Amino acid sequence: MNERIIYETEEGGVAVIIPVAECGLTIEEIAAKDVPEGVSYHIVDVSEVPSDRTFRGAWSWE
Amino acid sequence: MALKLFNDSGVAKLQANDGEESITATANGAVKLYYDNAEKLATTSTGVDVTGDLKFNSGYGSAATAYGVRAWVNFNASGTVSVRGSGNVSSVTDNGVGYFTINFATAMPDGNYSVGSWARNNTTTVWNVTVGSLTSLAAPSTTALPIFCRDDGRASVDPTYVTLNIIR
């Protein structure tokens, strides 16, 4: 899948979910299962996620 | 003993005792083997389902129960995080540097599984990468396994290879 699921963590950071297409679930089903309950999320293209992890801890969602 | 071989509404049946299944074969469908009228092995469109323990002797010295890898994953934690291959894993959550969660597609029967791991970092400065956990992380659950990746100096790192086997 060329998409990622993003949600804000309780600590104020950003978690990025890398879905596995071979599991047989749709990205919406994966989000419903793997995003913490009650947390809103966004599905974005992988190109929107920075590949430079130097400041990974400072990532935020806008 | 009354051996019966007959067709019951499209299902070929072999019964060693009258009324107790030994073998059944459905047209264009499953073949099932029974022990004392209890189903133990069935063919499916995708393979074979075994009910109960699967035992074999492949160098064990005697037939012994085989324990399966219930989930596995090989992923790249550096740069754009990506999963190279996996089984029974729905996703990997990137929580931060060296901090990931493996999410299972089908839940484990309980949290008492065993985890084997290996990781590699493509740098000349980090020789050993340890995949483990911290008391501050959630405990392994039936649905997810949180992991931390650390180098020799206990600094968090994003290895190029992280591999895990979950056995239960």
Side-chain angles (χ1 to χ4, degrees), chain B residues 15-92:
Chain B
Q15 296 180 344
N17 281 334
D18 193 17
E20 293 187 3
E21 312 294 5
S22 297
I23 302 173
T24 63
T26 302
N28 302 316
V31 174
K32 298 179 180 179
L33 301 180
Y34 297 76
Y35 179 87
D36 194 13
N37 202 35
E39 182 184 321
K40 294 299 177 184
L41 186 147
T43 61
T44 70
S45 61
T46 55
V48 174
D49 286 350
V50 174
T51 301
D53 287 350
L54 175 63
K55 297 183 178 183
F56 55 71
N57 180 355
S58 294
Y60 287 178
S62 62
T65 300
Y67 297 96
V69 173
R70 302 291 287 257
W72 64 274
V73 66
N74 177 332
F75 69 98
N76 181 355
S78 68
T80 299
V81 179
S82 60
V83 177
R84 294 187 182 88
S86 67
N88 192 27
V89 170
S90 60
S91 69
V92 174

Side-chain angles (χ1 to χ4, degrees), chain B residues 127-151:
Chain B
W127 294 94
N128 294 309
V129 176
T130 302
V131 177
S133 187
L134 298 170
T135 54
S136 58
L137 296 187
S141 74
T142 58
T143 57
L145 170 66
I147 62 166
F148 247 121
C149 302
R150 296 289 184 92
D151 67 9

Side-chain angles (χ1 to χ4, degrees), chain A residues 37-53:
Chain A
E37 194 172 350
V39 174
S40 61
Y41 61 87
H42 311 273
I43 296 174
V44 302
D45 191 87
V46 65
S47 62
E48 295 185 52
V49 179
S51 59
D52 185 348
R53 298 175 62 82

Side-chain angles (χ1 to χ4, degrees), chain B residues 76-164:
Chain B
N76 181 355
S78 68
T80 299
V81 179
S82 60
V83 177
R84 294 187 182 88
S86 67
N88 192 27
V89 170
S90 60
S91 69
V92 174
T93 304
D94 167 17
N95 301 294
V97 177
Y99 178 18
F100 303 90
T101 302
I102 313 304
N103 300 299
F104 304 130
T106 298
M108 299 293 157
D110 54 45
N112 301 329
Y113 45 81
S114 172
V115 181
S117 67
W118 175 83
R120 167 183 168 168
N121 218 32
N122 273 357
T123 71
T124 56
T125 55
V126 177
W127 294 94
N128 294 309
V129 176
T130 302
V131 177
S133 187
L134 298 170
T135 54
S136 58
L137 296 187
S141 74
T142 58
T143 57
L145 170 66
I147 62 166
F148 247 121
C149 302
R150 296 289 184 92
D151 67 9
D152 290 342
R154 301 182 65 189
S156 299
V157 291
D158 292 322
T160 48
Y161 282 87
V162 181
T163 70
L164 295 151

